Amino acid sequence: MKTPIVFALICISFLSGCMGSFSEGERLFRSGKYHEAVDEFSKVLFLHVTDINTLHLRARAFEELQEWSKAEEDYRSILKLDPNHAQAFAGLGKIHWEQERFREAENFYLLAAKNDPEDFDILFQLGQALLKNKKYHSADEFLQLAKEINDKHPLVYFYQGMARTQIGDLLGAAGSFNMCLKYDPDNLIATYNRGLVRMTIGYLSWAMEDFNRVLEAKPEHTEALARRGATKILLRDPTGCQDLQKAAIQGSIFAQLQIENC
């Protein structure tokens, strides 16, 4: 029969194996060791089941491992403890976004923004979700709010440019793409879209510069070739027909429709 001292030592040994360290889990998480971080956070939660900070970082680790159902379970546990936890709502938004459930993602991001209207990431992600759901005016508004918090983030300007293009604010869209390229000059998608906008509003020489830049970096970009051809024709440059013919052969519907102008 075990003596009380031996029994106590066994209990202490058992509890020591179950006790984890939040700071160690956080260190593992920041180091990208997500499996190890989950194990450490789970040890912490074994004794502190309502520790919101630990639940949140474990959910984030599950996200990184793409274990969506486990991440969702942790986020919902947080909301039971704190119904106004903005980051938990944002986490659920991200999970639904990754699962391409964009309407649900939008709803969760809206709840996140309601509870923390000054969080840049939440407003930015909400703007993306609204854009994806074709709510272009609302996307523009929330991206504007995000931009007021961080006015040097290139993708805020990029997505705002996309939203403004859809609502017909072409000058505003051109300005947004300009700012995107100011902070991310190698963004070829922004360059191409700025070229489209410039072409539409009649800034043809500037549009040519954008399409040329895209084609210098990606000669296989068929649609940039097609748009450059159409722009050349508007500028009365006969070599535009060569661009259109080549783009049409490569499968561009736009080029095939424009060839009749040659």
Side-chain angles (χ1 to χ4, degrees):
M1 185 172 180
K2 295 182 175 68
T3 66
I5 294 176
V6 172
F7 182 75
L9 289 172
I10 292 172
C11 290
I12 291 170
S13 176
F14 173 76
L15 289 174
S16 297
C18 294
M19 291 178 64
S21 163
F22 175 81
S23 59
E24 175 62 11
E26 185 177 30
R27 185 191 69 78
L28 291 166
F29 178 84
R30 304 300 177 198
S31 301
K33 298 177 180 179
Y34 303 117
H35 285 289
E36 295 90 335
V38 165
D39 290 342
E40 194 68 21
F41 291 137
S42 296
K43 289 178 182 179
V44 175
L45 290 165
F46 182 82
L47 295 177
H48 305 283
V49 294
T50 60
D51 188 320
I52 287 179
N53 289 334
T54 303
L55 280 168
H56 183 224
L57 267 189
R58 188 173 72 170
R60 288 282 295 107
F62 280 134
E63 274 185 38
E64 296 293 339
L65 295 169
Q66 297 187 2
E67 295 186 25
W68 307 120
S69 61
K70 292 180 180 179
E72 181 171 354
E73 184 178 343
D74 277 352
Y75 284 130
R76 292 192 181 278
S77 294
I78 292 170
L79 290 170
K80 288 178 182 177
L81 298 166
D82 179 3
N84 299 316
H85 198 285
Q87 293 301 323
F89 282 122
L92 291 172
K94 180 179 179 181
I95 290 169
H96 285 78
W97 175 272
E98 294 292 341
Q99 295 174 336
E100 299 187 356
R101 298 165 65 182
F102 301 118
R103 296 290 181 188
E104 293 88 344
E106 175 192 325
N107 292 335
F108 281 120
Y109 283 134
L110 279 168
L111 289 168
K114 177 182 177 182
N115 286 284
D116 190 353
E118 296 184 0
D119 185 290
F120 169 80
D121 289 328
I122 288 173
L123 294 172
F124 176 60
Q125 290 158 351
L126 175 56
Q128 284 184 288
L130 289 163
L131 182 61
K132 189 72 175 181
N133 291 328
K134 300 182 179 181
K135 297 180 181 179
Y136 303 119
H137 282 93
S138 295
D140 183 24
E141 291 172 4
F142 278 102
L143 290 167
Q144 180 66 29
L145 291 173
K147 188 173 70 179
E148 290 170 4
I149 297 170
N150 182 353
D151 63 356
K152 293 180 173 58
H153 195 296
L155 289 180
V156 175
Y157 293 103
F158 173 77
Y159 287 114
Q160 191 171 41
M162 298 298 285
R164 288 176 169 178
T165 299
Q166 293 296 326
I167 62 180
D169 179 9
L170 298 183
L171 287 175
S176 293
F177 290 132
N178 282 340
M179 292 301 294
C180 172
L181 290 164
K182 174 182 177 180
Y183 295 113
D184 183 12
D186 296 326
N187 189 326
L188 292 179
I189 300 176
T191 304
Y192 172 72
N193 279 280
R194 185 177 66 178
L196 292 179
V197 170
R198 286 173 162 178
M199 179 182 174
T200 302
I201 59 182
Y203 294 174
L204 301 180
S205 296
W206 287 354
M208 278 285 295
E209 289 179 8
D210 284 338
F211 297 138
N212 281 331
R213 184 177 168 195
V214 172
L215 289 165
E216 285 172 7
K218 294 186 67 176
E220 73 282 5
H221 197 302
T222 300
E223 293 308 320
L225 182 65
R227 265 63 179 191
R228 186 180 71 176
T231 303
K232 283 181 176 180
I233 289 175
L234 291 171
L235 290 168
R236 302 185 186 282
D237 180 344
T239 64
C241 290
Q242 297 173 19
D243 285 348
L244 287 174
Q245 289 167 357
K246 184 176 179 180
I249 292 171
Q250 293 174 358
S252 170
I253 302 299
F254 176 84
Q256 292 168 11
L257 294 173
Q258 293 294 315
I259 282 181
E260 64 185 30
N261 295 322
C262 292

